[in-house]
Amino acid sequence: MRTRSIARALPKSATRFALGLALLAVPATAVATAAVPAGRAPARTAPHAVRAGGLDDPAKKEIAMQLVSSAENSSLDWKAQYGYIEDIGDGRGYTGGIIGFTSGTHDMLQLVELYTQRKPDNVLARYLPALRRVDGSGSHDGLDPDYPKDWKAAAQDPGFRQAQNDERDRVYFNPAVEQGKADGVGVLGQFAYYDAIVMHGDGSDPTGFSGIRKRAQAQAKPPSQGGDETAYLNAFLDARVWAMKQEQAHSDTSRVDTEQRVFLNDGNLDLHTPLDWKVYGDSYHIG
């Protein structure tokens, strides 16, 4: 069984850190209430979806969480990951929680700020000064030795689990779904966007989500512009593979090749079950 390793260690690339630096001065209240932080969400290009279905349907969203967890955690049980935390040696400090929040790329800090706004006396609140100091680095200064233990303790609190859900949705899931609907792609396309922004972050870097999307649209029009959905998604996945191969840690592109591309080749644009796929050589099934 594959556990978290350098093979998935560079989701939320340096573009995410660069965007995060611009947010360092944002107060915790803004973290909790802002609908979309400046510079981090994909651009909105259309006010409505061309296709009717959405990854935000509860059943489809559950599938999305399981698909990402198969790649991120080698497990479909994404709800077992709230207490996960370790340094996976990628230079981004601690990686933890359901979406791989990291102490070096700002989103772990934002998460703990949100949790502390909601519950000021929580066990992680005392680490906020240290999290601000190490943001942008792989340092553990001020976090060791007890931060992992306290993170796991916090994960027993439903409030911390809800904070993880909310930050995942605010920063990654909701922007990806909204952009997918604006581009006129269905559930599979919205998932492809979500998985890309989870791994690559967003920003001006050509390997960030917006750069991948721009590269794809240079090859094929999205449905919102009159293009064929399958052709466009193939172009997007091609661009995603290109972006992954720019870093050695992403050289295994199976989460595209033997997962998303399989669904696309089957014509399963709405992620109807059953689903069968492989990631990093492991086989998975959703009935």
Side-chain angles (χ1 to χ4, degrees):
M1 177 64 71
R2 179 184 167 276
T3 57
R4 288 183 186 254
S5 69
I6 297 300
R8 56 80 50 213
L10 298 176
K12 297 157 291 222
S13 65
T15 59
R16 192 176 104 187
F17 166 54
L19 292 163
L21 287 180
L23 295 171
L24 286 174
V26 177
T29 52
V31 170
T33 59
V36 178
R40 291 190 63 169
R44 276 64 165 162
T45 58
H48 61 277
V50 174
R51 291 177 59 89
L55 192 66
D56 48 356
D57 173 86
K60 300 297 185 182
K61 185 175 182 179
E62 177 65 22
I63 289 172
M65 298 304 107
Q66 292 181 67
L67 289 171
V68 169
S69 187
S70 72
E72 298 281 316
N73 302 98
S74 298
S75 170
L76 298 185
D77 188 4
W78 66 270
K79 293 180 181 178
Q81 311 307 323
Y82 291 107
Y84 161 79
I85 187 165
E86 67 175 316
D87 188 324
I88 56 179
D90 63 349
R92 288 163 172 78
Y94 281 115
T95 296
I98 58 171
I99 205 65
F101 302 98
T102 61
S103 60
T105 59
H106 199 62
D107 61 352
M108 183 176 282
L109 169 60
Q110 289 182 304
L111 168 63
V112 177
E113 285 179 333
L114 175 62
Y115 182 39
T116 301
Q117 180 195 348
R118 294 176 176 178
K119 185 176 180 179
D121 61 346
N122 76 80
V123 70
L124 298 179
R126 67 188 181 96
Y127 294 103
L128 279 172
L131 286 169
R132 294 185 181 110
R133 286 196 304 271
V134 303
D135 196 19
S137 76
S139 173
H140 295 181
D141 183 37
L143 298 177
D144 288 341
D146 293 331
Y147 185 66
K149 172 178 65 68
D150 288 339
W151 176 282
K152 292 175 182 179
Q156 302 304 307
D157 178 8
F160 186 51
R161 297 196 294 271
Q162 187 60 51
Q164 289 195 37
N165 293 343
D166 292 344
E167 281 297 276
R168 172 203 62 204
D169 290 352
R170 182 182 71 86
V171 179
Y172 303 109
F173 186 80
N174 292 344
V177 171
E178 184 174 347
Q179 185 62 70
K181 288 183 177 182
D183 287 343
V185 297
V187 176
L188 175 58
Q190 292 164 35
F191 174 73
Y193 279 17
Y194 174 55
D195 193 62
I197 199 171
V198 165
M199 174 173 276
H200 300 278
D202 196 17
S204 59
D205 191 306
T207 61
F209 170 74
S210 289
I212 294 170
R213 179 172 166 269
K214 181 178 180 180
R215 188 180 183 90
Q217 292 189 6
Q219 300 300 317
K221 291 182 179 180
S224 62
Q225 297 177 23
D228 176 78
E229 183 172 10
T230 298
Y232 173 68
L233 290 181
N234 269 309
F236 182 83
L237 295 182
D238 289 344
R240 171 80 188 281
V241 167
W242 171 84
M244 292 173 74
K245 289 184 174 179
Q246 302 311 299
E247 295 184 90
Q248 180 60 36
H250 288 163
S251 59
D252 186 328
T253 58
S254 62
R255 66 198 290 162
V256 173
D257 302 333
T258 56
E259 182 190 296
Q260 295 169 49
R261 191 88 70 177
V262 170
F263 304 149
L264 182 59
N265 290 342
D266 287 344
N268 193 355
L269 299 177
D270 289 308
L271 286 180
H272 295 304
T273 55
L275 296 170
D276 293 280
W277 73 99
K278 292 183 179 180
V279 179
Y280 307 123
D282 295 332
S283 296
Y284 298 93
H285 172 82
I286 299 177

